[in-house]
Amino acid sequence: MWIKKGLIYKTDGQKPFSRTHAQVPFAFPLNDERLRVYFATRDENRSSSTSFVELDANDLSKVLYVHDKPCLSKGAVGMFDETGAMPSWFLKRGDEIWLYYTGWNKSETAWYRLGIGLAISRDGGLTFERAYDGPLLDRSIYDQVWVAQPCVMVETAADGTERWRMWYLSCTKIEIINDHPEPFYDVKYAESKDGITWERKGVVCVGYNEFTDAIGRPAVVKDGDLYKMYYSYRSATDFRTSIEKSYRIGYAESKDGITWERKDEQAGIERSAEGWDSAMMDYCHLFQHQDKWTMLYNGNGFGASGFGYAVQESNQ
């Protein structure tokens, strides 16, 4: 079971690049005293950029610092990220920090199209430069419409060989529902030897069912020999207005990281009866903090209400 600790941060809307949203939070420990949380925030045109706040590591409800500029902004005209750069996963690589991010691109018929890019920081995570102007992953024979929101894990074998593993969102179709294009997306799997060139075979890790039409931001951790994935999931109809159809947190387990069993009833956390996370819970990130699993997550409005946290009462 997870014990909710409350809302941590919501943008005040005073900065031009950060009028609304503190979406897809990611915890990045700096030291014993500070925890940095990266997130996506939107300008007046709804374009996402990446920024951060820093929290008191001994009291995560206490914000010590709010960054006053974006670390990564939207790309150039015509690029896959020309209308937004939304962070997804950060990895420490020596003196560098690698950021796998979702690039947003407007579409006249499907509303938007997404791709996965890589940006690298060499100044401790204050600024990120694109490793490439183009995406690492885009739509393909396995991913018909778009790809987004990767979770990346690097596993090192006894001989020192690295195995890069990615769980990502794969949009397979668009349906017009109530005159609005609605995406259907599941979680698929990819592997790499270097974190740049990825091999895909269309393996579905968490897919659709009688309720689930979309699965948001997979967050995979390895707990002993067991892989655990938390994610958000929803229906395709009325999910913006109906609590019964909107995002909630789900859970799955795997012994190999490829074949997963959904156990949503064991997620151990539900929407509140009232307040900032009463209509939605989505886009979580898990991390070990002071010997406990801790979850950052968004609430109502896909992150418009900010992000908060919960602490696991006991390991599953």
Side-chain angles (χ1 to χ4, degrees):
M1 294 293 296
W2 294 89
I3 306 301
K4 290 185 176 183
K5 298 296 186 177
L7 180 69
I8 295 175
Y9 175 77
K10 177 185 176 182
T11 179
D12 61 12
Q14 297 301 306
K15 302 176 183 64
F17 77 94
S18 182
R19 296 301 189 194
T20 66
H21 289 73
Q23 198 172 6
V24 292
F26 187 99
F28 194 90
L30 295 178
N31 49 49
D32 292 339
E33 302 298 324
R34 287 190 176 231
L35 178 82
R36 181 175 292 170
V37 178
Y38 289 98
F39 57 88
T41 189
R42 301 182 187 181
D43 64 16
E44 62 272 12
N45 298 316
R46 302 183 66 193
S47 293
S48 293
S49 59
T50 300
S51 193
F52 66 84
V53 297
E54 291 178 2
L55 312 179
D56 184 337
N58 296 304
D59 181 3
L60 297 184
S61 65
K62 185 177 181 180
V63 178
L64 301 178
Y65 172 75
V66 178
H67 202 47
D68 62 355
K69 57 180 69 69
C71 306
L72 181 68
S73 299
K74 62 185 180 181
V77 174
M79 298 299 178
F80 81 103
D81 55 359
E82 70 170 344
T83 55
M86 175 179 284
S88 184
W89 214 260
F90 296 77
L91 290 176
K92 193 81 167 61
R93 301 293 295 171
D95 293 332
E96 299 177 340
I97 301 172
W98 286 27
L99 163 57
Y100 290 87
Y101 72 96
T102 302
W104 287 70
N105 201 266
K106 287 182 179 179
S107 169
E108 291 185 5
T109 56
W111 190 23
Y112 58 84
R113 178 183 167 189
L114 310 174
I116 295 172
L118 173 65
I120 297 175
S121 175
R122 298 178 177 88
D123 61 4
L126 298 179
T127 62
F128 288 82
E129 296 181 2
R130 288 167 175 78
Y132 308 94
D133 289 330
L136 299 187
L137 282 81
D138 206 341
R139 60 186 180 187
S140 70
I141 60 174
Y142 302 115
D143 309 298
Q144 296 90 324
V145 184
W146 50 250
V147 296
Q149 288 300 296
C151 164
V152 179
M153 181 183 295
V154 184
E155 296 182 336
T156 305
D159 62 359
T161 303
E162 289 187 334
R163 180 190 189 192
W164 293 65
R165 316 188 74 180
M166 177 188 288
W167 298 267
Y168 66 96
L169 304 185
S170 170
C171 183
T172 60
K173 65 177 179 177
I174 300 286
E175 288 188 5
I176 305 301
I177 301 174
N178 298 327
D179 297 322
H180 194 280
E182 299 292 5
F184 287 65
Y185 44 96
D186 54 19
V187 176
K188 289 193 174 75
Y189 177 76
E191 282 195 11
S192 174
K193 294 180 180 179
D194 59 8
I196 296 172
T197 302
W198 293 88
E199 181 181 2
R200 291 175 276 181
K201 296 182 179 179
V203 175
V204 177
C205 295
V206 182
Y208 310 124
N209 61 24
E210 62 277 2
F211 174 84
T212 306
D213 298 316
I215 301 155
R217 198 205 197 172
V220 177
V221 297
K222 194 171 184 183
D223 193 1
D225 295 328
L226 190 65
Y227 294 87
K228 298 179 178 182
M229 182 192 299
Y230 287 82
Y231 47 86
S232 44
Y233 66 103
R234 60 167 176 77
S235 174
T237 59
D238 302 322
F239 64 91
R240 295 179 182 84
T241 57
S242 170
I243 294 177
E244 289 73 24
K245 300 293 185 68
S246 67
Y247 271 128
R248 72 285 313 274
I249 301 297
Y251 172 73
E253 292 181 351
S254 174
K255 294 180 179 179
D256 60 7
I258 299 174
T259 302
W260 293 81
E261 180 182 359
R262 286 185 72 164
K263 298 185 176 183
D264 293 332
E265 71 283 354
Q266 295 183 25
I269 191 167
E270 297 181 356
R271 289 163 295 191
S272 299
E274 58 183 11
W276 74 279
D277 62 349
S278 59
M280 291 183 186
M281 288 186 67
D282 39 25
Y283 312 137
C284 62
H285 175 237
L286 274 75
F287 62 105
Q288 282 272 10
H289 181 65
Q290 298 181 348
D291 298 323
K292 291 184 178 181
W293 285 109
T294 302
M295 177 191 293
L296 297 176
Y297 68 94
N298 284 126
N300 306 341
F302 310 97
S305 66
F307 65 82
Y309 77 114
V311 176
Q312 197 171 65
E313 190 175 50
S314 61
N315 288 334
Q316 294 180 338

